[in-house]
Amino acid sequence: MKKILNIFFISIYLVVLTGCSNEKVYGIHEKIDVTNSVGEYGIEITNVEVVKSNKNENVVIVTYELENRTISSSLNRDEWNFTAYDKDNNSLDNYLILDQNNKSASLGETIEMKIGYYFNSNKKYLKLKYFDDYISAKENATFVLEW
């Protein structure tokens, strides 16, 4: 009996030590719902593609939809609300896509946005962390995108 109890407590300790995260990881075409102090909105990743920049560098372009459900003021999100990592967990640098930083969704509107990152991996994998408030660093969702 003592051996069984020891195994039980060791198992509990390992679960606590390693963390028992039940956070959902989202993929392409899975919508997240976000509620903040001003209302509700949704984000859905709709496409991922690797293209060449005008300097012949690999760039991964992520297309997403931003749906303003209840926010009376215009809702805008951009590359600062996301951080990106490759398969080896290397942080990726932003690649500016013109005409994407000044878009906003009015109440009831869904708009398409694009963000880009320099991408030096041949693995078709991208992890995106989304932050409603990027200053607070409180992560709202993680997307794992494989193509």
Side-chain angles (χ1 to χ4, degrees):
M1 181 67 170
K2 187 176 181 181
K3 186 175 184 176
I4 293 173
L5 284 175
N6 283 341
I7 292 171
F8 173 75
F9 287 119
I10 289 172
S11 299
I12 296 295
Y13 174 75
L14 289 175
V15 167
V16 170
L17 184 65
T18 58
C20 50
S21 175
N22 58 0
E23 292 181 24
K24 179 168 174 35
V25 174
Y26 299 86
I28 295 176
H29 298 294
E30 288 188 271
K31 188 176 285 188
I32 65 165
D33 301 312
V34 181
T35 302
N36 61 22
S37 62
V38 294
E40 298 176 16
Y41 64 95
I43 292 180
E44 178 182 345
I45 306 293
T46 59
N47 192 39
V48 180
E49 63 182 324
V50 177
V51 299
K52 292 287 186 185
S53 73
N54 56 0
K55 294 182 180 178
N56 205 30
E57 299 166 301
N58 285 336
V59 175
V60 63
I61 305 295
V62 178
T63 305
Y64 67 97
E65 290 182 350
L66 179 63
E67 176 190 15
N68 182 348
R69 296 183 188 141
T70 66
I71 299 172
S72 58
S73 60
S74 292
L75 173 66
N76 49 13
R77 294 293 178 261
D78 57 28
E79 68 272 6
W80 299 109
N81 293 93
F82 294 89
T83 57
Y85 303 89
D86 65 13
K87 183 76 169 176
D88 298 321
N89 210 33
N90 296 313
S91 178
L92 303 179
D93 292 330
N94 290 352
Y95 174 80
L96 181 63
I97 302 173
L98 295 178
D99 298 324
Q100 290 297 307
N101 292 336
N102 56 357
K103 287 185 174 182
S104 59
S106 299
L107 177 62
E109 183 180 26
T110 299
I111 61 171
E112 182 178 274
M113 303 281 289
K114 293 181 186 285
I115 51 177
Y117 300 94
Y118 290 99
F119 191 70
N120 295 319
S121 176
N122 60 359
K123 300 171 185 166
K124 295 180 176 186
Y125 174 97
L126 183 70
K127 181 193 294 184
L128 274 181
K129 293 185 178 188
Y130 176 74
F131 303 87
D132 173 59
D133 177 9
Y134 57 86
I135 295 172
S136 75
K138 180 185 175 284
E139 181 182 333
N140 293 82
T142 299
F143 293 92
V144 171
L145 311 171
E146 298 183 78
W147 62 97

